[in-house]
Amino acid sequence: MISARYARAVFSLIMSGLMSCIVTGVATAKAIGFGPNTLADWLASWAFCWPIAFIVILSLGPSVQRLVNRMVSPQG
Protein backbone atom coordinates (compact mmCIF):
# COMPACT_ATOMS: atom_id res chain seq x y z
CA MET A 1 0.00 0.00 0.00
CA ILE A 2 1.19 3.53 -0.78
CA SER A 3 1.62 6.00 2.08
CA ALA A 4 -1.10 8.67 2.43
CA ARG A 5 1.48 11.42 2.09
CA TYR A 6 1.77 10.52 -1.62
CA ALA A 7 -2.00 10.78 -2.20
CA ARG A 8 -1.77 13.99 -4.23
CA ALA A 9 0.98 12.59 -6.46
CA VAL A 10 -0.90 9.32 -7.01
CA PHE A 11 -4.12 11.22 -7.77
CA SER A 12 -2.22 13.46 -10.21
CA LEU A 13 -0.63 10.47 -11.91
CA ILE A 14 -3.92 8.62 -12.39
CA MET A 15 -5.95 11.70 -13.37
CA SER A 16 -3.34 12.93 -15.83
CA GLY A 17 -3.06 9.47 -17.36
CA LEU A 18 -6.80 9.11 -17.85
CA MET A 19 -7.40 12.63 -19.10
CA SER A 20 -4.44 12.70 -21.47
CA CYS A 21 -5.40 9.27 -22.81
CA ILE A 22 -8.95 10.37 -23.59
CA VAL A 23 -8.05 13.80 -24.96
CA THR A 24 -5.21 12.58 -27.17
CA GLY A 25 -7.39 9.73 -28.41
CA VAL A 26 -10.20 12.06 -29.42
CA ALA A 27 -7.80 14.62 -30.91
CA THR A 28 -5.90 11.96 -32.86
CA ALA A 29 -9.09 10.41 -34.25
CA LYS A 30 -10.37 13.85 -35.27
CA ALA A 31 -7.09 14.90 -36.85
CA ILE A 32 -6.24 11.76 -38.82
CA GLY A 33 -9.37 9.62 -38.67
CA PHE A 34 -9.32 5.88 -38.11
CA GLY A 35 -6.75 3.96 -40.08
CA PRO A 36 -3.94 1.48 -39.71
CA ASN A 37 -1.63 3.97 -37.96
CA THR A 38 -4.20 5.55 -35.66
CA LEU A 39 -3.37 3.47 -32.60
CA ALA A 40 0.39 4.01 -32.96
CA ASP A 41 -0.07 7.75 -33.49
CA TRP A 42 -2.41 7.95 -30.49
CA LEU A 43 0.02 6.10 -28.22
CA ALA A 44 2.91 8.30 -29.37
CA SER A 45 0.85 11.42 -28.67
CA TRP A 46 -0.25 10.08 -25.29
CA ALA A 47 3.34 9.20 -24.29
CA PHE A 48 4.37 12.77 -25.12
CA CYS A 49 1.43 14.45 -23.36
CA TRP A 50 1.09 12.39 -20.19
CA PRO A 51 4.21 13.74 -18.43
CA ILE A 52 3.16 17.30 -19.28
CA ALA A 53 -0.35 16.72 -17.94
CA PHE A 54 1.09 15.13 -14.78
CA ILE A 55 3.32 18.12 -14.06
CA VAL A 56 0.47 20.57 -14.72
CA ILE A 57 -1.98 18.74 -12.45
CA LEU A 58 0.62 18.22 -9.74
CA SER A 59 1.73 21.86 -9.76
CA LEU A 60 -1.59 23.64 -10.39
CA GLY A 61 -3.85 21.25 -8.48
CA PRO A 62 -3.51 22.99 -5.11
CA SER A 63 -4.28 26.40 -6.64
CA VAL A 64 -7.32 25.02 -8.42
CA GLN A 65 -8.47 23.36 -5.18
CA ARG A 66 -8.21 26.67 -3.31
CA LEU A 67 -10.17 28.42 -6.07
CA VAL A 68 -12.90 25.76 -5.94
CA ASN A 69 -13.04 26.01 -2.16
CA ARG A 70 -13.70 29.75 -2.48
CA MET A 71 -16.40 29.19 -5.12
CA VAL A 72 -18.50 26.62 -3.25
CA SER A 73 -20.23 26.83 0.10
CA PRO A 74 -19.38 24.32 2.83
CA GLN A 75 -21.73 21.40 3.43
CA GLY A 76 -23.99 21.42 6.41
Side-chain angles (χ1 to χ4, degrees):
M1 196 55 108
I2 299 171
S3 172
R5 69 179 162 156
Y6 299 113
R8 194 176 95 198
V10 173
F11 172 84
S12 298
L13 184 69
I14 293 170
M15 181 60 73
S16 64
L18 289 171
M19 286 302 300
S20 61
C21 177
I22 293 166
V23 171
T24 57
V26 170
T28 301
K30 180 161 180 10
I32 66 172
F34 292 100
N37 294 327
T38 303
L39 182 60
D41 290 339
W42 175 16
L43 292 176
S45 179
W46 185 28
F48 178 79
C49 292
W50 189 354
I52 296 167
F54 175 66
I55 292 167
V56 168
I57 291 174
L58 190 62
S59 62
L60 295 180
S63 298
V64 172
Q65 186 65 59
R66 283 191 295 277
L67 177 63
V68 169
N69 290 342
R70 278 184 265 167
M71 294 172 64
V72 300
S73 60
Q75 281 186 321

